[in-house]
Amino acid sequence: MAPIATVSCNPMNATSSGVFQGDGALDYALPLLILQICIVVLVTRVLAFLLRPLRQPRVVAEIIGGVLLGPSALGRSSTYLNKVFPTKSHTVLDTLANLGLIFYLFLVGLELDPRSLRRTGKTALSIALVGISLPFALGIGFSFALRGTISKGVNSTPFLLFTGVALCVTAFPILARILAELKLLTTEVGRMAMSAAAVNDVAAWILLALAIALSGNGRSPLVSLWVFLCGCGFVLACIFILRPILKWMAQRCPEGEPVNEMYVCATLSIVLAAGFVTDTIGIYAFFGAFSVGVLMPKEGPFAAALVEKVEDLVSGLFVPLFFVSSGLKTNVATIQGLQSWGLLALVICMACFGKIVGTIVVSLLCKVPFQESLALGFLMNTKGLVELIVLNIGKDRGVLNDQTFAIMILMALFTTFMTTPLVIAVYKPAKINLGKEYYKHRTIQRKDPNTKLRIMTCFHSARNIPTMLNLIEASRGTEKRNGLCVYAMHLMELSERSSAILMVHKARRNGLPFWSTRTQSDANQIIVAFEAFRQLSHVTVRQMTAISALNTIHEDICASAERKRAAMIILPFHKHQRLDGQLEITRSDFRYVNRRVLEHAPCSVGILVDRGLGGATHISASNVDSIVKVLFFGGPDDREALSYGLRMAEHPGVSLVVIRLLLDPKVSEEEVAVDIADEEEARATDEELIAELKKKKSKDGSIMYEEVMVDGVAKAIEAIREQSRCNLFLVGRMPEGRLAAALKQKGECLELGPVGGLLTSPEFSTTASVLVIQQYHSQLSMHSLASPMEEEEEDDFTGRESDTT
């Protein structure tokens, strides 16, 4: 079959002289290409948005968009096809699409770590081998059915190989994206699926190279042998010559310093040169780029810098062009008659049977539970970009005709589309139910204060680390207690960028130490900071990583807190302090994360407004000299804040000042009392804690207690302003009592409550950090968290949630 480029058309000039000179823009290569790119991006992004509720990966939208823009749908109009995608423009479009694909497959190679393949477990390796061999065998069997019906006269050996490879592929990047969306990456199912898919991906590339070598048009069989041997020689040359060069460049880019642009340009040039070599050999330029990506060192900032500079342009603009290029070759109308549709159903069944049934059987033999085996089967059936590359190469080589190509494209689309819904339907990881006996302490306030305190601190970046460490240092308590255990959770957003999966390779399983001498040779600043603090303070610190979309990351936080039996979750405020002392929004999405955690947390929650507690570095225990003030009105949240303050007061470098604000009895008598019984019960509980505070005050000179009588809100605010000189405020989120009820917040940050909102308002002058605390309640609804003004904001919050990635 003649390739598109050989059609006898006059070559297109690059640019026009303009419409006023009588030139039509669509008759020239550059303006036509710009229009094509804009249409492709618009269509694929709209489809991705429409498919988002179904939690489909973007590749599904791109495949559908390519088919719709081709002769299967819009291309049925000859006017549209000849104007927007004329035959003479296909060479330019295909060239740009393939150039983008070269760099994209370099990024895919960056996601594969060859060392992880050596550590693949027996179960994952068995799943990978069966997931390759059984579908490959079924694909070869299906090829005989095709050769006897719609693919008569094709070269038998290449046709067998291409059909077999098309059915045995598992798309590693797409699978990683689906697992991340379903929050299965850190589960046993996710790890087995990723390991098996990585092995499968490498094997598929080897089989594809063999298929290409055997599908050449050379007259002698020795040509295919030479192609295969030269391909092997290229890989060996990359391993022994190119890899040391790449490693040398990566070592020349130390952590914390900008990456030299010369090394970036050199690496991208190497990618293109490798593509040129493999294309010259006859196994396509993709293989060279993929090989360079696999051999690229994964540690250090160099790989991340390459991804950052290349990915957005390539995956956002160029890769969708490849799907359109495939769509222009796909004509669903060629699938005519009962026989053709029957073959489509047959190939879908064989593809699903080979992957799903084969994976289930080998998983059960390896003693994997049936539900997990079923989920693994559906996950391993994921197709994607590699599948389309296989089919396009087969189409260009004349191995696959139009009808067979269309059937295989629809098979790839169907199997990928079905993965997410089926996994959601069959696999629901059991929610942890620790029970009251196992998870006793969900608050700081407890009957036995000597029990171990477990705190989960969350942070978005290194900016949050010094204050978090100083807060942990102040929370240690005395040596007599059973100690403090801190889980430091790094919150990382899983965006639409495919390289977000690189973060997954750097993260260990939640709850295990992030640092490891075997796997972390170049520890970053965050790891070093926590490890140094652990060794110096003798506090048990474990770093965890949550990688998720921001609109669902609260589920990871709450689930991890429950699994670790945390008594409190401490979250960073969504604003940071500027040099002039004012608070500036870091990212508004962080606010919604905090609000969701407040609603769903299985324990108490604290929101930390950081104004530089202890300065920009961690203060050692001997140098701690801090004043902590608790503003006490009453209620469970205030009692939790006071309990936390009492624990901090045990640190020799912390002075605790408790200010209890009381409403003048004369004013109280004039007001009508409501819910007297409930108020009296709450007041009695408050008095018990205050009595305990007074006992400790008599024994400990670092604790001060003061009662301030006020006759209204204005006096209360004035009294609070007088207490601005300290290092840290501890306040309850929703204080109770008549005075607190009158002190309704008018600020914008309603998740801080009235007192926290006052302390963080621009009108309140203080350099103290603020920790706003909400005590755990077993029956807590969003209604109890919201004021009427906040309820009005819920609609806006819901709208933003759907747009969060």
Side-chain angles (χ1 to χ4, degrees), residues 4 146 180 182 191 328 347 446 507 515 716 804:
I4 294 174
L146 290 175
L182 299 181
R191 286 192 299 277
L328 292 172
V347 72
R446 56 189 66 174
W515 46 86
T804 306

Side-chain angles (χ1 to χ4, degrees), residues 513-722:
F514 196 38
W515 46 86
S516 170
T517 55
R518 292 178 299 174
T519 59
Q520 294 289 339
S521 57
D522 299 320
N524 59 36
Q525 297 174 355
I526 294 174
I527 299 170
V528 170
F530 278 111
E531 174 67 359
F533 176 77
R534 183 183 69 84
Q535 294 180 355
L536 292 173
S537 63
H538 304 291
V539 173
T540 304
V541 181
R542 292 183 177 272
Q543 184 165 333
M544 306 161 67
T545 306
I547 305 174
S548 184
L550 287 183
N551 62 335
T552 60
I553 201 168
H554 68 281
E555 298 174 4
D556 301 75
I557 297 171
C558 295
S560 296
E562 185 164 10
R563 186 165 58 248
K564 302 305 173 189
R565 296 177 290 159
M568 176 176 284
I569 301 170
I570 298 179
L571 301 164
F573 191 45
H574 71 278
K575 295 182 180 181
H576 65 274
Q577 188 177 36
R578 297 189 313 222
L579 293 177
D580 61 0
Q582 296 299 313
L583 295 174
E584 181 180 50
I585 293 177
T586 306
R587 185 168 172 180
S588 59
D589 292 333
F590 296 161
R591 177 188 180 188
Y592 304 131
V593 173
N594 293 350
R595 290 180 59 182
R596 290 189 182 100
V597 174
L598 284 170
E599 180 183 359
H600 299 288
C603 59
S604 296
V605 180
I607 297 179
L608 179 62
V609 183
D610 182 11
R611 287 197 177 104
L613 177 63
T617 58
H618 168 233
I619 301 175
S620 62
S622 59
N623 295 327
V624 173
D625 185 14
S626 301
I627 299 174
V628 177
K629 290 189 177 181
V630 178
L631 302 179
F632 190 88
F633 290 84
D637 291 354
D638 278 23
R639 292 195 295 271
E640 187 76 352
L642 179 53
S643 299
Y644 195 16
L646 289 172
R647 182 178 180 98
M648 286 185 171
E650 297 173 4
H651 194 290
V654 175
S655 299
L656 177 67
V657 180
V658 181
I659 309 297
R660 187 179 188 186
L661 290 102
L662 298 170
L663 189 62
D664 194 319
K666 296 178 181 179
V667 179
S668 300
E669 291 173 1
E670 298 174 1
E671 297 182 354
V672 178
V674 180
D675 296 331
I676 296 294
D678 293 341
E679 186 172 325
E680 289 298 330
E681 183 180 350
R683 186 178 298 172
T685 310
D686 292 343
E687 294 299 336
E688 288 179 11
L689 187 59
I690 293 296
E692 181 185 342
L693 167 66
K694 291 178 178 178
K695 269 187 195 177
K696 290 190 176 182
K697 174 179 175 293
S698 62
K699 300 177 182 178
D700 190 346
S702 65
I703 299 177
M704 295 180 60
Y705 174 70
E706 181 182 350
E707 292 185 351
V708 179
M709 200 73 65
V710 296
D711 58 4
V713 174
K715 291 291 185 181
I717 294 176
E718 184 180 340
I720 293 173
R721 290 184 188 278
E722 293 175 357

Side-chain angles (χ1 to χ4, degrees), residues 26-99:
L26 298 185
D27 295 328
Y28 293 84
L30 181 59
L32 180 58
L33 180 64
I34 293 173
L35 177 65
Q36 290 170 343
I37 292 175
C38 292
I39 291 174
V40 170
V41 172
L42 177 64
V43 170
T44 54
R45 292 291 175 166
V46 169
L47 287 171
F49 176 78
L50 295 176
L51 292 173
R52 187 180 296 168
L54 300 177
R55 305 177 78 172
Q56 292 296 327
R58 198 169 72 192
V59 67
V60 172
E62 289 170 336
I63 295 175
I64 295 175
V67 173
L68 292 179
L69 291 172
S72 300
L74 296 176
R76 289 180 176 272
S77 169
S78 58
T79 304
Y80 154 82
L81 201 59
N82 293 330
K83 281 289 184 182
V84 181
F85 292 102
T87 304
K88 58 186 178 181
S89 73
H90 287 185
T91 301
V92 176
L93 182 66
D94 288 348
T95 300
L96 193 60
N98 284 300
L99 181 63

Side-chain angles (χ1 to χ4, degrees), residues 69-234:
L69 291 172
S72 300
L74 296 176
R76 289 180 176 272
S77 169
S78 58
T79 304
Y80 154 82
L81 201 59
N82 293 330
K83 281 289 184 182
V84 181
F85 292 102
T87 304
K88 58 186 178 181
S89 73
H90 287 185
T91 301
V92 176
L93 182 66
D94 288 348
T95 300
L96 193 60
N98 284 300
L99 181 63
L101 201 58
I102 287 173
F103 287 112
Y104 181 79
L105 288 174
F106 166 68
L107 298 177
V108 172
L110 271 176
E111 294 181 1
L112 278 173
D113 188 355
R115 292 176 302 178
S116 65
L117 298 180
R118 295 196 297 267
R119 296 192 298 266
T120 302
K122 293 181 179 179
T123 302
L125 185 60
S126 302
I127 291 172
L129 293 177
V130 174
I132 295 169
S133 56
L134 183 57
F136 187 80
L138 292 175
I140 291 177
F142 178 68
S143 67
F144 287 104
L146 290 175
R147 288 185 63 212
T149 52
I150 62 173
S151 297
K152 295 179 179 179
V154 297
N155 192 348
S156 60
T157 303
F159 186 70
L160 298 179
L161 287 174
F162 272 102
T163 309
V165 173
L167 264 66
C168 75
V169 167
T170 294
F172 174 79
I174 310 305
L175 175 63
R177 170 64 53 189
I178 291 174
L179 288 170
E181 290 286 345
L182 299 181
K183 298 184 182 298
L184 297 177
L185 273 170
T186 57
T187 65
E188 192 65 27
V189 169
R191 286 192 299 277
M192 282 193 291
M194 288 288 284
S195 299
V199 176
N200 192 300
D201 213 27
V202 173
W205 281 105
I206 295 173
L207 289 174
L208 180 57
L210 179 62
I212 292 173
L214 295 176
S215 64
N217 295 320
R219 296 179 181 178
S220 171
L222 291 176
V223 172
S224 298
L225 180 61
W226 278 114
V227 170
F228 183 74
L229 292 176
C230 288
C232 295
F234 168 79

Side-chain angles (χ1 to χ4, degrees), residues 2 67 160 182 235 242 375 386 457 490 605:
V67 173
L160 298 179
L182 299 181
V235 173
L242 184 59
V386 179
T457 62
H490 191 181
V605 180

Side-chain angles (χ1 to χ4, degrees), residues 15-28 83:
T15 58
S16 70
S17 300
V19 66
F20 296 108
Q21 300 293 333
D23 287 346
L26 298 185
D27 295 328
Y28 293 84
K83 281 289 184 182

Side-chain angles (χ1 to χ4, degrees), residues 1 150-152 154 159 395 398-406:
M1 181 177 178
I150 62 173
S151 297
K152 295 179 179 179
V154 297
F159 186 70
K395 181 78 163 60
V399 177
L400 306 177
N401 61 25
D402 291 345
Q403 195 171 356
T404 304
F405 183 78

